[in-house]
């Protein structure tokens, strides 16, 4: 780089202090022109810093202990850890609240070595992090520039509602996740598309991604729509609460009301009856994110799409033409 010392260029590339704004612009332009991509593993070793992948989750209005109580996060870690152990790297988890996330993300970005995986975050915060650190991959739908492993949430929700309709269910409700969640937003789109195509009424409620959230939302729906005969739920943990609420209200699952969840987490097989659900390949997505980070070839806007697949268990059944009816004996 003409007119720039190797030490100065290194400071800019490694985001270290000691270089002016115009000089940083010149160096980054030269880096882009030459197609230079630093080897993150080598940089970490040379700096003496441990080789670490940071996992970041940002909650919104969730109770204490939310990171440990939601099976999604353990699946993310399960997908990453075998790869990291094989390369002698470490894993560092950051559980942030939405209100204080911005400053914390800036600090995390400044200390990244191998890279960061965004397991749950809003597009605005993801874009902020990406502006400060390019070595990042999101596991949820995100800003256009942020690299991501994206699940087909829209297609999965569409398939779930279609499956309930195929089983003869016609009063199909949906319990969506929080509006701030991009995964919940995409699953809402899938539900609405299926309802429109199938001529179904939009019977829905919103809740937090918790068992309690699902329970409370199901109670509200039963009060407003006592004739519902199926429920699509935006995550398995919520669906476990939905099944409990239905049972407490005198409905049999699946005879009176069929239930389909989303994720295929441990909550699905621990529910009674076990949940039919849309499986997300969370472990595979997390592993793919690590491989992309380690490769060092992370283009802005990179996308890999992962399907959501129907897993049939005992919480769904074809509606009987003649039966006891809701609340009947």
């Amino acid at each position: 780089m003409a007119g720039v010392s190797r030490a100065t260029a290194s400071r800019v590339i490694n985001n270290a202090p000691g270089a002016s704004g115009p000089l940083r612009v010149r160096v980054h332009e030269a880096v882009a022109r030459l197609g230079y991509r630093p080897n993150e593993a080598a940089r970490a070793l040379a700096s003496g810093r441990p080789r670490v992948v940071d996992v970041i989750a940002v909650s919104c209005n969730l109770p204490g202990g939310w990171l440990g109580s939601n099976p999604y996060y353990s699946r993310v870690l399960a997908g990453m850890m075998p790869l990291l152990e094989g390369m002698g790297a470490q894993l560092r988890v950051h559980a942030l609240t939405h209100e204080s996330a911005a400053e914390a993300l800036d600090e995390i970005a400044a200390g990244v070595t191998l890279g960061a995986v965004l397991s749950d975050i809003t597009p605005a915060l993801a874009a902020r992090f990406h502006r400060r650190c390019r070595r990042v991959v999101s596991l949820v739908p995100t800003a256009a520039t942020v690299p991501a492993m994206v699940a087909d949430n829209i297609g999965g929700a569409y398939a779930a509602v279609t499956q309930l309709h195929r089983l003869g269910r016609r009063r199909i409700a949906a319990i969506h996740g929080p509006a701030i969640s991009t995964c919940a937003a995409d699953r809402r789109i899938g539900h609405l598309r299926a309802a429109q195509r199938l001529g179904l009424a939009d019977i829905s409620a919103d809740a937090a991604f918790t068992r309690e959230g699902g329970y409370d939302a199901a109670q509200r729906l039963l009060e407003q729509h006592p004739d519902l005969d199926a429920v699509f739920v935006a995550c398995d943990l919520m669906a476990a609460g939905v099944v409990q609420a239905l049972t407490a209200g005198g409905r049999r699952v699946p005879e009176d009301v069929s239930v389909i969840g989303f994720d295929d987490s441990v909550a699905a097989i621990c529910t009674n009856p076990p949940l039919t659900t849309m499986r997300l390949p969370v472990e595979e997505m997390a592993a793919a994110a690590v491989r992309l980070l380690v490769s060092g070839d992370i283009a802005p806007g990179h996308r890999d799409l992962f399907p959501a697949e129907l897993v049939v268990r005992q919480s769904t059944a074809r509606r009987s033409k003649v039966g006891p009816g809701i609340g009947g004996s």
Side-chain angles (χ1 to χ4, degrees):
M1 300 180 190
V4 180
S5 70
R6 178 177 297 179
T8 299
S10 177
R11 282 197 296 272
V12 174
I13 291 171
N14 288 287
N15 198 30
S20 66
L23 186 55
R24 289 181 182 275
V25 171
R26 286 178 56 196
V27 171
H28 285 304
E29 288 176 346
V31 166
R33 185 169 60 252
L34 295 171
Y36 171 72
R37 294 186 182 277
N39 184 300
E40 303 306 334
R43 289 170 68 182
L45 288 173
S47 68
R49 293 182 296 171
R51 302 174 66 198
V52 175
V53 172
D54 292 274
V55 182
I56 301 168
V58 181
S59 77
C60 183
N61 299 323
L62 288 177
W66 57 270
L67 188 71
S69 63
N70 192 320
Y72 165 74
Y73 298 106
S74 62
R75 294 182 65 193
V76 170
L77 301 184
M80 297 174 63
M81 289 177 66
L83 287 171
L84 296 178
E85 290 173 356
M87 64 181 71
Q90 300 174 11
L91 185 149
R92 186 163 50 203
V93 179
H94 307 269
L96 311 176
T97 62
H98 188 266
E99 294 73 19
S100 61
E103 291 184 3
L105 288 170
D106 292 349
E107 184 177 341
I108 295 167
V112 165
T113 56
L114 285 178
V117 173
L118 306 177
S119 62
D120 193 9
I121 193 170
T122 64
L125 288 173
R128 179 188 179 112
F129 190 92
H130 186 248
R131 286 193 296 269
R132 290 157 175 78
C133 175
R134 300 291 182 176
R135 302 183 299 282
V136 60
V137 181
S138 176
L139 297 183
V140 295
T142 188
T145 57
V146 181
M149 303 294 155
V150 180
D152 185 10
N153 289 292
I154 294 175
Y158 187 97
V161 176
T162 301
Q163 173 68 8
L164 291 168
H165 187 269
R166 188 178 295 120
L167 293 173
R169 308 290 170 162
R170 295 297 181 267
R171 295 289 290 169
I172 302 173
I175 297 179
H176 302 297
I180 197 171
S181 165
T182 53
C183 290
D186 279 357
R187 292 168 199 175
R188 185 190 306 269
I189 291 171
H191 159 248
L192 291 174
R193 285 182 182 175
Q196 184 177 23
R197 186 185 73 83
L198 299 169
L200 301 173
D202 177 14
I203 306 171
S204 60
D206 292 359
F209 280 140
T210 63
R211 183 198 62 81
E212 295 83 1
Y215 188 98
D216 292 342
Q219 284 193 319
R220 295 196 304 271
L221 286 174
L222 285 173
E223 291 173 1
Q224 299 164 7
H225 307 278
D227 60 339
L228 65 83
D229 61 7
V231 188
F232 162 64
V233 192
C235 87
D236 292 339
L237 196 57
M238 297 166 70
V242 170
V243 170
Q244 290 175 338
L246 290 169
T247 302
R251 271 69 165 182
R252 301 169 302 166
V253 178
E255 294 88 351
D256 298 328
V257 183
S258 283
V259 178
I260 293 185
F262 211 105
D263 288 333
D264 197 26
S265 68
V266 65
I269 57 176
C270 292
T271 301
N272 185 23
L275 285 173
T276 294
T277 187
M278 302 303 303
R279 181 182 186 274
L280 285 187
V282 175
E283 294 87 351
E284 292 91 329
M285 293 167 64
V290 171
R291 285 192 288 268
L292 183 60
L293 288 173
V294 172
S295 76
D297 186 20
I298 314 172
H302 176 97
R303 291 290 185 275
D304 285 340
L305 183 64
F306 292 77
E309 300 177 348
L310 178 68
V311 178
V312 177
R313 295 193 180 95
Q314 285 74 55
S315 68
T316 52
R318 183 170 296 279
R319 182 174 181 175
S320 301
K321 293 183 179 179
V322 178
I326 296 176
S329 59

